[in-house]
């Protein structure tokens, strides 16, 4: 085979390739190109031969150029190149050596990644859009919770709300547990309002408030003339009123044993008889119960039926006490302040010292006690600013801030700064993030950041 035939064969192989291939010498003069190369740059491939890559870059055909990089680094180089047509190319340059081991040629090949770059930009845009939607959904959910009177900044309450939303999608029996005043009936209404039964009635029955003698008549209703003193037209019971909606049995732990079996029968069969009636009445309701009692202990003490407990306790939801969800206290304070300002048509502000007292109080009465205190403060405060003097005595006595030790060598400013630094250290240890610290201390997040920098708290 003569040299001419070999050359033609090599050229044929080069042009048969579907990739952009370009060969230069160490000075950047183009020696060989594939046919695809010209198409990528919008020129005739043959016109590139003999030209300098430096000149072509200056003309705007492509940038940056590969040859000088490979010559300088003396190794394989890969980077993204932009063409005059706005295309993005992933270009790889490979050094070729002669028999003496000297750099002789630079061979480059590229792949058009314009679409990949566009996909990347699209994905970035989509991620930003998803984050925006996620943020908006979070704000919307927070507003919905706020409108429902629920604050869920703490992790424990976020779990409670998440479980409640899952429960709202199905008609499974739910048992809400928690101390008195934590908001069990509020959560039950929230589940009802988020469910497909939202347009139906929400009937709340306080099992501990109905006299034992009237329980059956109130719960099941009665027929005309069923007993002495009965209404001549009879009466519809609370269970019947809940048809198509939700029946909420609050304080279920207070239900006398004598009535527990009757409630169990209604739950199982979804039908009952009115007092004095002979015709069964079918009813369709979703059951939610609540108690602050330890029902397992009540079962052991023979005060609560185990079969009823298992019927009620399909999905338990425990609301934590207010004292263990400190992240929720300040937002609750502000929400209640707004509500009572509107109710009593008054404009009030809370002194920071008041917020401090409210934040560190034990709240044995939970949210119910906080509601009571906030309403009292809005009503009795003689001025716009609510100060510590308006707080109930028992609340002021329980919260006595530690008195810093007096040191004659320290100024008042130094003592205040020392105390402030210690408060920030304690808050940092407890709340971890500056956002939660700000919420707990009743100030802004930028203020917390500035003070932490001031006291060099990492």
């Amino acid at each position: 085979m003569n040299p001419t035939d070999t050359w033609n064969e090599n050229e044929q192989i080069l042009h048969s390739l579907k990739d952009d291939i370009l060969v230069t010498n160490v000075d950047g003069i183009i020696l060989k190109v594939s046919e695809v190369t010209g198409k990528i740059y919008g020129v005739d491939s043959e016109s590139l031969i003999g030209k300098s890559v430096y000149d072509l870059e200056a003309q705007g055909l492509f940038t940056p150029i590969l040859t000088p990089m490979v010559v300088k680094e003396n190794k394989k180089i890969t980077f993204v190149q932009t063409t005059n047509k706005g295309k993005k190319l992933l270009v790889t340059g490979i050094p070729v050596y002669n028999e003496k081991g000297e750099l002789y040629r630079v061979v480059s090949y590229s792949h058009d990644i314009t679409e990949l770059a566009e996909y990347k930009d699209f994905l970035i845009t989509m991620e930003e859009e998803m984050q925006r939607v996620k943020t908006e959904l979070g704000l919307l959910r927070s507003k919905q919770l706020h409108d429902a009177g629920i604050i869920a900044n703490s992790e424990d309450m976020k779990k409670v709300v998440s479980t409640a939303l899952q429960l709202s999608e199905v008609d499974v029996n739910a048992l809400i547990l928690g101390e008195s005043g934590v908001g069990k009936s509020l959560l039950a209404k929230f589940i009802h309002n988020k469910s497909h039964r939202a347009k139906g009635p929400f009937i709340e029955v306080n099992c501990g408030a109905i006299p034992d003698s009237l329980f059956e008549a109130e719960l099941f209703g009665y027929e005309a003339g069923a007993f002495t003193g009965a209404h001549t037209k009879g009466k519809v019971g609370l269970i019947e009123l809940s048809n198509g909606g939700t029946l909420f049995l609050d304080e279920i732990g207070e239900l006398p044993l004598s009535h527990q079996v009757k409630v169990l029968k209604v739950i199982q069969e979804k039908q009952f008889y009115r007092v004095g009636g002979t015709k069964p009445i079918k009813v369709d309701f979703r059951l939610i119960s609540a108690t602050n009692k330890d029902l397992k202990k009540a079962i052991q003490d023979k005060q609560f039926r185990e079969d009823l407990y298992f019927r009620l306790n399909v999905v338990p939801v425990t609301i934590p006490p207010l004292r263990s969800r400190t992240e929720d206290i300040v937002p609750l304070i502000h929400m209640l302040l707004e509500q009572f300002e509107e109710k009593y048509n008054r404009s009030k502000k809370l002194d920071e010292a008041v917020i401090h007292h409210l934040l560190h109080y034990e709240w044995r009465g939970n949210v119910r006690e906080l509601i009571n205190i906030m309403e009292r403060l809005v009503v009795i405060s003689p001025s716009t600013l609510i100060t510590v003097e308006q707080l109930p005595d028992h609340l002021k006595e329980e919260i006595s801030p530690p008195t810093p030790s007096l040191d004659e060598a320290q100024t008042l400013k130094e003592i205040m700064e020392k105390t402030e630094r210690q408060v920030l250290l304690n808050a940092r240890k407890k709340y971890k993030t500056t956002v939660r610290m700000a919420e707990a201390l009743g100030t802004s997040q930028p203020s917390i950041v500035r003070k932490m920098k001031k006291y060099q708290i990492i």
Side-chain angles (χ1 to χ4, degrees), residues 404 411-421 455:
T411 65
L412 177 60
K413 181 181 178 183
E414 288 171 338
I415 294 172
M416 295 292 288
E417 288 180 344
K418 183 178 178 181
T419 303
E420 188 175 50
R421 186 177 191 279
Y455 299 118

Side-chain angles (χ1 to χ4, degrees), residues 123-184:
L123 287 174
I124 292 173
T125 302
M126 287 301 295
E127 286 177 359
E128 292 174 348
E129 182 67 15
M130 288 175 68
Q131 185 60 43
R132 183 188 66 79
V133 172
K134 184 179 178 182
T135 302
E136 287 184 358
L137 286 174
L139 292 172
L140 181 60
R141 176 172 290 184
S142 296
K143 184 180 183 302
Q144 290 176 337
L145 291 175
H146 186 280
D147 292 344
I150 297 174
I151 296 294
N153 287 9
S154 64
E155 290 303 317
D156 287 344
M157 275 306 292
K158 285 179 182 178
K159 291 177 183 176
V160 168
V161 171
S162 176
T163 303
L165 289 171
Q166 289 178 290
L167 284 171
S168 68
E169 297 174 358
V170 290
D171 273 352
V172 64
N173 293 347
L175 177 62
I176 303 175
L177 305 168
E179 295 179 6
S180 178
V182 293
K184 296 185 289 293

Side-chain angles (χ1 to χ4, degrees), residues 150-324:
I150 297 174
I151 296 294
N153 287 9
S154 64
E155 290 303 317
D156 287 344
M157 275 306 292
K158 285 179 182 178
K159 291 177 183 176
V160 168
V161 171
S162 176
T163 303
L165 289 171
Q166 289 178 290
L167 284 171
S168 68
E169 297 174 358
V170 290
D171 273 352
V172 64
N173 293 347
L175 177 62
I176 303 175
L177 305 168
E179 295 179 6
S180 178
V182 293
K184 296 185 289 293
S185 62
L186 199 66
L187 189 67
K189 288 177 184 176
F190 177 75
I191 294 171
H192 168 76
N193 290 333
K194 291 293 179 182
S195 73
H196 67 93
R197 294 178 177 269
K199 293 183 179 180
F202 178 85
I203 303 299
E204 182 172 348
V205 180
N206 190 318
C207 299
I210 302 176
D212 188 60
S213 59
L214 297 177
F215 184 82
E216 282 191 65
E218 290 294 321
L219 209 63
F220 304 114
Y222 56 82
E223 297 292 349
F227 52 86
T228 304
H231 196 279
T232 55
K233 294 183 179 179
K235 182 181 179 180
V236 176
L238 295 172
I239 291 180
E240 192 172 349
L241 289 174
S242 71
N243 188 46
T246 299
L247 177 65
F248 175 49
L249 300 180
D250 197 11
E251 304 298 345
I252 189 70
E254 304 298 330
L255 192 63
L257 271 172
S258 57
H259 297 314
Q260 288 178 23
V261 66
K262 300 165 187 174
V263 171
L264 174 62
K265 187 175 177 65
V266 174
I267 295 171
Q268 288 175 330
E269 300 177 0
K270 291 293 178 73
Q271 69 174 24
F272 64 94
Y273 293 89
R274 286 182 179 177
V275 176
T278 57
K279 181 181 178 182
I281 299 173
K282 292 187 178 295
V283 64
D284 169 36
F285 60 82
R286 192 267 175 83
L287 178 69
I288 301 177
S289 307
T291 184
N292 59 6
K293 272 194 170 184
D294 184 346
L295 293 185
K296 289 183 179 180
K297 185 177 184 304
I299 292 170
Q300 292 175 353
D301 296 340
K302 307 297 182 184
Q303 294 179 351
F304 204 84
R305 294 179 61 99
E306 188 174 34
D307 49 2
L308 176 57
Y309 171 75
F310 287 124
R311 278 288 179 181
L312 301 174
N313 192 39
V314 178
V315 180
V317 184
T318 302
I319 303 178
L322 186 58
R323 60 183 170 275
S324 70

Side-chain angles (χ1 to χ4, degrees), residues 66 69-70 73-78 92-95 97 107 109:
L66 188 67
M69 294 186 186
V70 176
E73 300 292 335
N74 201 18
K75 65 178 183 180
K76 180 180 177 181
I77 299 289
T78 299
T92 300
I94 303 173
Y97 305 95
V107 177
Y109 59 90

